[in-house]
Amino acid sequence: MASFEVKVYPIFIKDHPNADRLDLGNIGSPEGWQVVIAKGRFQTGDLVAYIGENAVVPDDILKYYGYWNENKDIGMLAGSKGNRVKAIRLRDAFSLGIVLPIVECKEGWYKLPHTPEEQYTGYFKLDEDVSEILGVTKYEPPIPTHMAGEVCNLIGYTLKFDIENYKKYPTLINHGEEVIFTEKIHGCVSPDTNIMLPNGEEIEIEEIISNQNYTHVLSFDIASHQYQSKLITGRSRRENIEKKRWVKLTMENGRTIKITEDHPIFSKDRQEYVEAKDITNGEDIESPF
């Protein structure tokens, strides 16, 4: 899961190829997040506080650092209040956040220019998350009015797939290095569908979701082409499942599974995942049943 934080990094400056009054800055390294800034505002090696996408910035910060529209009395960023950081394109160059200057107030301690010298709670070390000091929070999309009553918060039963941006670790992988790429796949299973446990026992998936004592299920491993015991890493329920389009697959031994049409099924004939709605009669698929 991705962490939300505002930290201090060195900035690396280069000319904007399409604008004389703008510079491009990369955060943390020459391959890090890119931001578009005013020409000459920073030099390579300067330390800046980087505020990335989906951050909500307080009005006082926006006003002090020049991100405020006096005529409209709102911020100059995204959202109805102009206070949300969003990726934008400026003269054909993407800007993936905003940066604030920092100053050293005493040996090993830093602060932002708007922080009074006597406000020691505003001091920080270079490796600290300064989001709380700045009052910067993560943007959480509101539930649309037309969906009221159709969605609910399943805290503790859902798995977040928000992952860290590679640009946070620009030197982690070298050019040409071989890596393994994984992808989150979608789809739902009917609550009354049986799932096989590693010991061969069959349990309805609704029971597995409700009972935290069930920690592993039998899962097909593509690399080894074998069924293995796999740890359950997340549990979730979908509301209004009756509105979903379902597919019922019947095996040659009479077993059935009921899943949404977009649920991926591994086809042994095609040697790839196929959406359930595209499975044909007689097709050989992977199933522990």
Side-chain angles (χ1 to χ4, degrees):
M1 175 180 167
S3 57
F4 176 78
E5 57 189 12
V6 177
K7 285 195 170 184
V8 174
Y9 301 91
I11 190 170
F12 294 80
I13 302 298
K14 57 186 176 183
D15 292 333
H16 192 304
N18 303 313
D20 294 335
R21 296 184 179 182
L22 297 174
D23 279 332
L24 299 180
N26 291 94
I27 308 302
S29 82
E31 291 79 33
W33 295 286
Q34 179 175 279
V35 294
V36 178
I37 54 179
K39 189 75 173 180
R41 186 175 184 185
F42 297 104
Q43 303 297 319
T44 293
D46 286 349
L47 296 175
V48 297
Y50 171 68
I51 304 177
E53 295 179 74
N54 293 321
V56 177
V57 185
D59 289 352
D60 62 324
I61 299 293
L62 297 175
K63 292 176 181 179
Y64 189 93
Y65 293 99
Y67 295 100
W68 191 258
N69 187 321
E70 295 290 348
N71 294 329
K72 296 182 179 180
D73 197 33
I74 61 172
M76 299 172 65
L77 305 181
S80 60
K81 298 180 180 179
N83 62 352
R84 176 161 56 92
V85 180
K86 184 179 180 180
I88 60 174
R89 187 193 294 268
L90 295 171
R91 295 291 186 91
D92 290 329
F94 277 109
S95 185
L96 304 177
I98 63 174
V99 291
L100 307 180
I102 68 167
V103 295
E104 187 172 12
C105 49
K106 61 179 183 178
E107 186 176 357
W109 289 89
Y110 296 81
K111 72 179 190 68
L112 284 102
H114 76 282
T115 306
E117 289 289 345
E118 66 277 6
Q119 187 177 327
Y120 298 110
T121 55
Y123 290 8
F124 53 85
K125 295 281 190 177
L126 289 184
D127 59 348
E128 289 185 34
D129 176 10
V130 298
S131 58
E132 186 173 347
I133 293 175
L134 293 176
V136 174
T137 57
K138 184 176 182 180
Y139 173 71
E140 296 291 346
I143 296 176
T145 304
H146 71 277
M147 295 181 67
E150 295 188 5
V151 295
C152 66
N153 193 343
L154 294 176
I155 295 177
Y157 289 94
T158 58
L159 177 64
K160 292 190 176 181
F161 293 93
D162 187 19
I163 61 175
E164 296 284 12
N165 193 310
Y166 167 71
K167 291 185 179 297
K168 187 175 181 179
Y169 310 99
T171 61
L172 183 64
I173 301 174
N174 297 319
H175 289 290
E177 184 174 348
E178 186 173 333
V179 299
I180 296 176
F181 177 81
T182 61
E183 178 184 11
K184 177 195 177 291
I185 49 183
H186 299 270
C188 296
V189 178
S190 174
D192 58 356
T193 295
N194 284 338
I195 300 296
M196 187 171 288
L197 304 183
N199 62 2
E201 183 181 2
E202 297 177 24
I203 301 292
E204 289 186 356
I205 191 171
E206 174 65 26
E207 175 65 17
I208 294 175
I209 291 176
S210 302
N211 190 339
Q212 299 288 327
N213 290 325
Y214 294 111
T215 59
H216 290 72
V217 295
L218 196 64
S219 177
F220 179 69
D221 182 73
I222 298 178
S224 64
H225 287 270
Q226 294 180 348
Y227 285 94
Q228 299 178 357
S229 174
K230 293 289 186 179
L231 176 69
I232 299 173
T233 58
R235 305 164 195 255
S236 63
R237 294 183 180 88
R238 294 289 297 270
E239 296 295 308
N240 298 323
I241 59 174
E242 68 278 359
K243 296 182 179 180
K244 297 292 180 182
R245 301 185 65 175
W246 295 88
V247 172
K248 185 177 182 180
L249 300 179
T250 303
M251 316 299 171
E252 60 182 358
N253 62 2
R255 299 272 188 174
T256 62
I257 56 174
K258 184 179 178 183
I259 52 183
T260 52
E261 62 177 2
D262 61 340
H263 195 293
I265 298 291
F266 189 79
S267 169
K268 296 174 69 175
D269 293 337
R270 310 185 209 184
Q271 285 297 298
E272 63 180 358
Y273 277 102
V274 180
E275 289 189 350
K277 63 181 176 61
D278 296 325
I279 296 294
T280 60
N281 288 332
E283 187 161 358
D284 193 5
I285 64 173
E286 281 294 348
S287 171
F289 302 117

